[in-house]
Amino acid sequence: MIRKATNSDSRVLAEMAVQMWDDNTVNELETEFLKTLNDEQSAFFIKVVDEIPVGFAQCSLRTDYVEGTESSPVGYLEGIFVKEEYRKKGYAKELLYACEIWSKEIGCKEFASDCELENLASFKFHMAMGFEEANRIICFRKML
C-alpha cells in the first residue's frame, strides 16, 4: 500500500531518510520534514508492507527554472528510498507513480529529478522509469 504521509509519520520518514542523506541526523530531518509535511507545495508518500513502512518518496512543486523543462510549475522528485531488504520489488516505481499523480493533479505537465554524477544506481533507476537525461553539470564554489 502507498499512502500520503502525515505529521505523525515525520519520525519514521527521518529514520529512513538518514540512510540516504547521512550528512544529517534523524532529529534534523524530522524537524525539516515536519515543516515540509505542512507545505502544500510538497508531499511525502510511504510504502507500507504488512504494516511496516519500507520506503518513501518526497516530491515538491518547483516554480523556479528546472533544468531541461519547458513549463512551470514542475513536479520534482526530491528523494526516494526503499529499505535494502525490500528492493527489487517495484516499490520505488510505485512511490514514483504516486508522486507523478500528485504532480498531475496540481496542474504539472512535466516531472523532473536529479542525482549525483557518481550515483549509478539512481541514474539507472531514473532511466528505467522513463526519465531522459537533461544535462550534466559540475558545480563550483570557493571561500571568500
Side-chain angles (χ1 to χ4, degrees), residues 72-86:
S72 182
V74 171
Y76 202 87
L77 181 65
E78 301 291 348
I80 191 164
F81 174 81
V82 175
K83 292 178 180 177
E84 192 168 342
E85 62 270 27
Y86 292 93

Side-chain angles (χ1 to χ4, degrees), residues 10-19 26 29 33 81:
S10 62
R11 187 74 180 182
V12 74
L13 288 168
E15 288 170 350
M16 286 190 280
V18 78
Q19 296 175 63
V26 171
L29 289 170
F33 290 169
F81 174 81

Side-chain angles (χ1 to χ4, degrees), residues 91-117:
Y91 298 158
K93 183 177 185 175
E94 291 176 30
L95 287 161
L96 174 62
Y97 186 63
C99 291
E100 291 173 346
I101 290 171
W102 175 82
S103 298
K104 229 182 219 186
E105 287 175 349
I106 56 177
C108 296
K109 293 178 175 40
E110 293 178 278
F111 194 81
S113 184
D114 64 51
C115 72
E116 299 289 327
L117 287 173

Side-chain angles (χ1 to χ4, degrees), residues 7-144:
N7 284 351
S8 64
D9 296 308
S10 62
R11 187 74 180 182
V12 74
L13 288 168
E15 288 170 350
M16 286 190 280
V18 78
Q19 296 175 63
M20 179 172 54
W21 296 314
D22 59 3
D23 55 337
N24 295 278
T25 67
V26 171
N27 289 339
E28 289 169 339
L29 289 170
E30 183 176 18
T31 299
E32 180 183 328
F33 290 169
L34 277 169
K35 293 177 193 167
T36 307
L37 283 161
N38 292 298
D39 179 358
E40 292 180 7
Q41 305 289 303
S42 299
F44 283 90
F45 295 93
I46 297 178
K47 173 66 179 180
V48 179
V49 176
D50 298 326
E51 299 183 31
I52 299 168
V54 301
F56 80 95
Q58 178 187 3
C59 54
S60 67
L61 183 66
R62 291 200 178 180
T63 55
D64 55 331
Y65 174 71
V66 175
E67 191 73 38
T69 63
E70 297 176 0
S71 62
S72 182
V74 171
Y76 202 87
L77 181 65
E78 301 291 348
I80 191 164
F81 174 81
V82 175
K83 292 178 180 177
E84 192 168 342
E85 62 270 27
Y86 292 93
R87 293 180 185 164
K88 307 275 189 217
K89 297 177 186 287
Y91 298 158
K93 183 177 185 175
E94 291 176 30
L95 287 161
L96 174 62
Y97 186 63
C99 291
E100 291 173 346
I101 290 171
W102 175 82
S103 298
K104 229 182 219 186
E105 287 175 349
I106 56 177
C108 296
K109 293 178 175 40
E110 293 178 278
F111 194 81
S113 184
D114 64 51
C115 72
E116 299 289 327
L117 287 173
E118 68 277 357
N119 191 340
L120 189 56
S122 181
F123 178 80
K124 287 179 178 181
F125 168 76
H126 283 84
M127 297 307 285
M129 294 299 105
F131 285 91
E132 54 188 49
E133 189 174 326
N135 196 7
R136 288 188 179 227
I137 63 171
I138 298 173
C139 301
F140 297 94
R141 76 174 190 101
K142 68 179 178 179
M143 299 299 292
L144 297 177

